Amino acid sequence: MKRPLKKLFTRRLTTGLLLSLGVLPLVQTSAEESAATPATTQSNGQTTAPDGGIGNLPPAPSWLPPTPPVPAADVPQVDTSQPVASAISATDAAPQPDTTPVNTSPVAASQDATPAPVIPLVQPVASNITVADMGQPNGLTLSGGQLQSGIIFTLPGDQVITDAKLSLALKISPALIARDTTLELMLNGQPLGNLPLSQSSNGGDVYELDVPAAMVVSSNNLSFRVHDINTMNCEKDQSDKYWVTVLPSTSIGLEGQQLNISRNLGNFPRPFFDPLQMQESKVTMAFSSTLQPQDVSAAAMVASYLGMLSDYRDIDFPVVLNDLPEQNGILFGKPGDKIGSLTLPASNGPSIQIIDNPLNPVYKLLLVLGNDENQLRQASYRLISAAMPNNTDRLPVTQQNIPTRKPYDASRWIDTSRPVTLGELAARDQNPLTAAGIFHNEIHVPFRAAPDLFMWDGHTIPVRIDYRFPTENWIDEDNSQLNVSINGTFLRNLTVNKVGLLENVWRRLGGDSRQESYTIKLPPYLIYGDNQLAFYFDIKPKKDAPCSILTSENIKSRIDPNSYIDLSSSYHFTQLPNLSYFVGASYPFSKQADFSGSLLLLPPVPTAGDIHTLLNMAARSGNATGVPVSHAQVVFGLKDNDGENPLFDRDILAITTLGDSAFNQQLLEASPFAINNNSLSVKTPTQLQRALDALTGDWYRQPVDADRYLSSTGAWRGFISYRSRWSPDHVVVVATGTDDQQLLKIHDDLKSAKINAGIRGDLAIITDESGIRSFAVGKQFPTGQMPWYMMVVWYASTHFVILSLITVLVSLLIGLSLYVLLARHAAKRLGKKPKK
């Protein structure tokens, strides 16, 4: 085993000297040593991740001088009986380059309080960003004529990097190893080093390179280029022979310091959520010991907004009850509430305020205050509905109307009332519809759709594609084509010219036979909640084409923005319960994206784990729809008169653990499930129910198998769903687990594509050992709207046993009637007396 080599340069070397050297050598370590060395973790529990698709955000931090003291009336009071220094970890207390005492004026202490200890203005941070975190889960492959590419990675603006190291892992084709090639690395246009691509650098070893910290900024471009002295660029059709892949485990390790920025509401959502952070963001939310449902409603609104901003990045919402977050956090409550050592400041109405964290003023606390449910909702809505004013740390909120959304009007869902152009869809994610050069990436057009879209068998979705290939005489037009796929499923190859005998003759006579438009008939079953159309212009050069064109990006291939997809012939109709709709698009709660048709239900005394899970579910809804849950209603526990409560005449999302037996028994009453000794079971259907199921064609339910699996499983978490006993037109979805520890694992489970794909039916059980198991236990019911004649046909198609029995009965009645009439007619003809 090779021993790790020391760093190549001491930090006493200046950045100018490093750059003047042109390149930095690489240090090779063995794969075993790399695997044995634990990945660097962050000392403050935060991570970093990319900017993209977040819409209009408030302005970036302005790095203002320390905020002057605020009036005592607006300042939250701190309980000085609890020592502040005890909450600072040894890491936080470590000596830093700048040990200037902190301005503690925002926190007003009592007169007899002892002076606060000196706390450094900066905190150490560390992160390790992999190529997978940078948006390349399969790594980055250089092949054929595309021998240069790069990856963008970003860092939060309030961090300063003091040390950086690149760990490079590669996989190289055997044909490329046999050539004299090197891999050139660059960061932000500056060379980092060269690596010979040989057998020793293929697959097993990890190469480490010290990166000058001054080269790492907020937005960075890490690029790779294969340099071949044997002019591999001129070899055509070798993309499957010569290639090198930068593996997704390749990473850049960063160490730095978190700066103490000013208390400025204009920075929101920073520093609580930074869109430049590439790894999972953790936004801590804190509540008082006198927690009320309106506090959680307000927090769910803010969580859904931050989930919307996170887009493809992961975000998590840890919850602290009656204590202050150790770092940045958002606090909800009414004036006078006490959260840990902090008493929320007085306020005549709804207000928003940002203060230094009493535990460590490097971090900030955002206070969302209101004296009642309406005021808290007003404060939260003001926070998420418009940019906050700059250069202020407190904002009184004026009363405003919170609009209610209509069904299926989520901003991220494709419009089903008209054809939608690909230009509209691409503009949402700022994706270009033009490809440059011969070798290029696919053109992606993502779109999301309501999961309950329904079309009758035989109907298709028209996708009109207008496209143009380059018009160059060196292009082999007979073999070039446009590949079209959706969600990884190949649809069709579109040719450059029209295909046919007459078209071929006309083209040879000099006529125009270009095919620049085509309509694909898309089967409805290929449309999911989250979709991605992909286009690739597979341009083939002729054998005598010059080598220079292989690397030229002067040629353009384009998809016309007026191309469209038309879902206007579809209907919103489906059968519930169906958990796959819930995990994919938060349906049916997201039908009205602001949750005005939903209820969030928690146990009478919710734990931090219950609220944590609920906030994560709200964030998933905001991410799926692009709309905050501004009308979410939260209820603690169940009462006897809830059947008359109008709040329960809606879809219900409940969060609970199996330990809340009394609450669960009320919740699962009149459902296919039951609670026995803190264990979930499935009720055994009666013989009459089995007979009715057989008559209605419901042969795929598995209540016995599900009950056996539950009885043999110890620790688990998952989802159950059933028809609501309070409103038969709605459903109840319950996120549950055997305990809080299991319940909190649901967040990580839903990051897995395999688990998401495996959740279906009305019971989904997830374990650490077996993964996901799903069952169909209860009876489904139809929901949505279709023309009456289609409903008749649909009912007949799904209840063919009853239809068959009715057909047999009608046939018997008609047959017997005809037999009697014919018998009488025969008797009369023969002169006999008809039998009665």
Side-chain angles (χ1 to χ4, degrees):
M1 182 183 297
K2 299 180 181 178
R3 301 184 53 133
L5 299 182
K6 295 182 178 179
K7 295 187 177 179
L8 304 175
F9 297 98
T10 64
R11 292 193 175 86
R12 284 192 281 260
L13 287 176
T14 64
T15 302
L17 177 58
L18 294 178
L19 298 180
S20 67
L21 296 177
V23 295
L24 298 178
L26 295 167
V27 178
Q28 179 182 4
T29 59
S30 69
E32 289 182 302
E33 290 172 299
S34 176
T37 304
T40 305
T41 56
Q42 297 183 351
S43 60
N44 67 344
Q46 293 184 342
T47 50
T48 54
D51 194 10
I54 59 171
N56 296 323
L57 290 175
S62 53
W63 307 106
L64 299 174
T67 306
V70 296
D74 298 334
V75 174
Q77 300 299 313
V78 179
D79 185 358
T80 56
S81 63
Q82 300 182 22
V84 175
S86 63
I88 304 173
S89 65
T91 303
D92 294 336
Q96 301 298 325
D98 186 357
T99 57
T100 306
V102 171
N103 176 14
T104 58
S105 57
V107 179
S110 60
Q111 294 182 354
D112 57 348
T114 57
V118 174
I119 301 175
L121 286 172
V122 291
Q123 290 294 312
V125 293
S127 61
N128 193 64
I129 306 174
T130 65
V131 167
D133 295 329
M134 299 177 192
Q136 300 290 338
N138 299 319
L140 183 67
T141 298
L142 309 177
S143 63
Q146 192 174 10
L147 299 177
Q148 182 173 352
S149 188
I151 315 175
I152 300 294
F153 71 93
T154 57
L155 301 173
D158 58 353
Q159 293 183 8
V160 173
I161 300 303
T162 57
D163 188 41
K165 178 177 292 186
L166 177 66
S167 298
L168 183 65
L170 303 174
K171 187 175 183 180
I172 314 166
S173 67
L176 190 59
I177 292 176
R179 304 179 67 94
D180 188 8
T181 57
T182 59
L183 182 67
E184 299 178 359
L185 293 82
M186 290 191 296
L187 179 64
N188 300 327
Q190 299 296 326
L192 289 179
N194 293 330
L195 173 65
L197 298 179
S198 60
Q199 185 63 46
S200 61
S201 58
N202 185 28
D205 296 321
V206 175
Y207 288 81
E208 293 186 348
L209 168 66
D210 283 351
V211 178
M215 294 175 60
V216 183
V217 293
S218 289
S219 182
N220 305 272
N221 186 347
L222 180 62
S223 57
F224 308 88
R225 185 177 67 155
V226 176
H227 178 66
D228 180 22
I229 62 174
N230 294 324
T231 63
M232 186 178 67
N233 289 340
C234 201
E235 298 190 22
K236 305 180 181 71
D237 301 325
Q238 298 294 335
S239 59
D240 58 343
K241 184 177 181 181
Y242 300 113
W243 52 264
V244 56
T245 298
V246 181
L247 297 178
S249 58
T250 295
S251 64
I252 182 166
L254 303 169
E255 295 180 4
Q257 294 179 337
Q258 173 120 13
L259 301 181
N260 186 358
I261 65 175
S262 61
R263 302 184 304 278
N264 180 9
L265 287 175
N267 293 336
F268 185 80
R270 302 174 178 93
F272 313 99
F273 168 78
D274 196 317
L276 298 179
Q277 200 160 308
M278 300 202 70
Q279 295 168 317
E280 184 178 60
S281 299
K282 291 189 178 294
V283 183
T284 303
M285 295 192 172
F287 306 89
S288 69
S289 58
T290 57
L291 175 71
Q292 298 297 317
Q294 58 260 29
D295 301 334
V296 183
S297 298
M301 190 188 308
V302 176
S304 65
Y305 172 73
L306 297 179
M308 179 185 73
L309 296 186
S310 67
D311 200 10
Y312 60 89
R313 295 168 286 261
D314 294 323
I315 189 168
D316 188 24
F317 293 92
V319 169
V320 177
L321 297 179
N322 197 28
D323 202 358
L324 292 178
E326 295 182 0
Q327 300 175 11
N328 297 313
I330 306 177
L331 279 59
F332 297 86
K334 64 178 183 295
D337 282 351
K338 190 172 182 180
I339 302 179
S341 61
L342 181 71
T343 301
L344 300 183
S347 177
N348 294 327
S351 64
I352 305 169
Q353 185 173 349
I354 187 170
I355 65 170
D356 291 336
N357 190 330
L359 302 181
N360 189 338
V362 171
Y363 302 109
K364 309 302 173 188
L365 300 179
L366 183 67
L367 313 181
V368 181
L369 307 175
N371 290 286
D372 53 34
E373 180 178 2
N374 176 62
Q375 290 189 5
L376 265 173
R377 192 177 298 275
Q378 288 287 330
S380 298
Y381 184 72
R382 175 61 186 89
L383 183 67
I384 67 176
S385 60
M388 300 296 289
N390 206 12
N391 301 335
T392 182
D393 60 357
R394 186 176 186 275
L395 176 68
V397 176
T398 57
Q399 185 80 16
Q400 58 182 321
N401 179 51
I402 303 177
T404 302
R405 309 286 300 203
K406 297 179 180 179
Y408 302 107
D409 70 343
S411 57
R412 288 185 179 170
W413 287 2
I414 190 171
D415 193 345
T416 58
S417 64
R418 61 174 178 85
V420 178
T421 65
L422 300 189
E424 294 177 64
L425 299 176
R428 295 179 183 177
D429 291 84
Q430 300 178 345
N431 288 344
L433 293 175
T434 301
I438 295 180
F439 302 99
H440 55 82
N441 293 324
E442 286 184 327
I443 297 174
H444 295 289
V445 181
F447 67 94
R448 298 183 181 184
D452 64 340
L453 293 182
F454 177 83
M455 294 185 73
W456 203 254
D457 289 344
H459 292 193
T460 56
I461 300 168
V463 181
R464 173 66 175 266
I465 302 172
D466 297 325
Y467 61 98
R468 283 197 174 181
F469 277 86
T471 55
E472 299 289 347
N473 55 13
W474 50 263
I475 295 179
D476 184 355
E477 295 185 353
D478 293 331
N479 293 313
S480 298
Q481 54 195 1
L482 171 61
N483 309 131
V484 185
S485 62
I486 185 170
N487 301 326
T489 300
F490 173 77
L491 295 178
R492 191 175 182 87
N493 282 328
L494 304 182
T495 58
V496 179
N497 297 300
K498 296 177 182 177
V499 179
L501 179 61
L502 294 178
E503 289 82 358
N504 190 33
V505 172
W506 177 247
R507 180 160 60 92
R508 294 184 182 277
L509 292 175
D512 183 11
S513 63
R514 281 256 170 167
Q515 175 177 275
E516 296 184 336
S517 181
Y518 191 86
T519 300
I520 295 178
K521 301 297 184 180
L522 188 64
Y525 60 82
L526 293 179
I527 298 292
Y528 305 116
D530 197 356
N531 307 275
Q532 187 160 227
L533 275 169
F535 304 91
Y536 181 74
F537 287 90
D538 187 11
I539 300 175
K540 303 292 186 182
K542 295 180 179 178
K543 293 183 178 181
D544 58 351
C547 293
S548 59
I549 59 95
L550 296 181
T551 57
S552 173
E553 294 190 355
N554 195 38
I555 61 170
K556 305 292 182 183
S557 309
R558 61 190 299 267
I559 302 294
D560 194 313
N562 292 322
S563 305
Y564 64 83
I565 179 171
D566 187 3
L567 291 164
S568 58
S569 60
S570 63
Y571 299 93
H572 290 289
F573 180 83
T574 189
Q575 292 193 87
L576 294 177
N578 189 336
L579 288 173
S580 64
Y581 291 169
F582 172 71
V583 298
S586 297
Y587 187 87
F589 310 101
S590 55
K591 178 179 178 180
Q592 288 176 272
D594 59 359
F595 274 34
S596 54
S598 304
L599 177 69
L600 305 179
L601 183 60
L602 292 172
V605 183
T607 64
D610 295 331
I611 304 172
H612 186 167
T613 303
L614 183 143
L615 298 181
N616 285 340
M617 295 300 169
R620 285 180 62 86
S621 177
N623 184 277
T625 63
V627 178
V629 295
S630 52
H631 284 277
Q633 292 282 347
V634 176
V635 171
F636 290 174
L638 291 169
K639 300 178 182 178
D640 294 336
N641 60 349
D642 280 334
E644 303 173 359
N645 189 339
L647 282 179
F648 283 75
D649 187 19
R650 54 182 67 188
D651 296 306
I652 298 174
L653 173 59
I655 312 292
T656 181
T657 57
L658 298 184
D660 292 309
S661 295
F663 173 72
N664 292 333
Q665 287 175 356
Q666 290 179 289
L667 181 63
L668 298 178
E669 184 180 340
S671 78
F673 306 95
I675 289 291
N676 298 308
N677 298 323
N678 295 340
S679 297
L680 182 69
S681 62
V682 178
K683 297 176 183 177
T684 303
T686 63
Q687 293 298 330
L688 177 60
Q689 289 174 330
R690 292 176 184 272
L692 291 175
D693 291 343
L695 288 175
T696 56
D698 197 0
W699 303 332
Y700 305 102
R701 289 160 60 182
Q702 309 159 282
V704 176
D705 292 341
D707 189 63
R708 288 171 180 167
Y709 187 75
L710 282 169
S711 63
S712 62
T713 303
W716 64 272
R717 65 273 182 191
F719 302 94
I720 61 176
S721 184
Y722 52 91
R723 196 170 192 172
S724 174
R725 65 182 173 93
W726 297 280
S727 177
D729 294 332
H730 297 92
V731 297
V732 178
V733 175
V734 184
T736 187
T738 50
D739 51 39
D740 268 359
Q741 184 180 3
Q742 288 291 321
L743 185 66
L744 291 176
K745 290 183 179 181
I746 291 178
H747 175 68
D748 290 327
D749 292 332
L750 295 181
K751 298 178 188 177
S752 167
K754 181 179 180 180
I755 289 181
N756 274 273
I759 295 178
R760 54 188 180 272
D762 54 9
L763 172 62
I765 304 170
I766 308 171
T767 62
D768 295 334
E769 298 79 16
S770 304
I772 177 69
R773 286 285 303 272
S774 295
F775 301 90
V777 172
K779 192 173 184 61
Q780 290 185 312
F781 64 95
T783 179
Q785 294 181 346
M786 273 199 309
W788 66 269
Y789 57 89
M790 291 186 67
M791 282 296 299
V792 171
V793 177
W794 174 86
Y795 190 87
S797 67
T798 55
H799 297 78
F800 56 88
V801 175
I802 295 179
L803 181 63
S804 300
L805 293 176
I806 293 175
T807 302
V808 170
L809 180 61
V810 171
S811 300
L812 286 173
L813 291 175
I814 294 175
L816 290 174
S817 300
L818 289 175
Y819 174 79
V820 171
L821 291 174
L822 292 174
R824 288 182 177 180
H825 180 73
K828 185 182 297 184
R829 181 173 57 85
L830 296 173
K832 296 181 180 180
K833 186 177 180 181
K835 295 181 179 181
K836 294 183 180 181

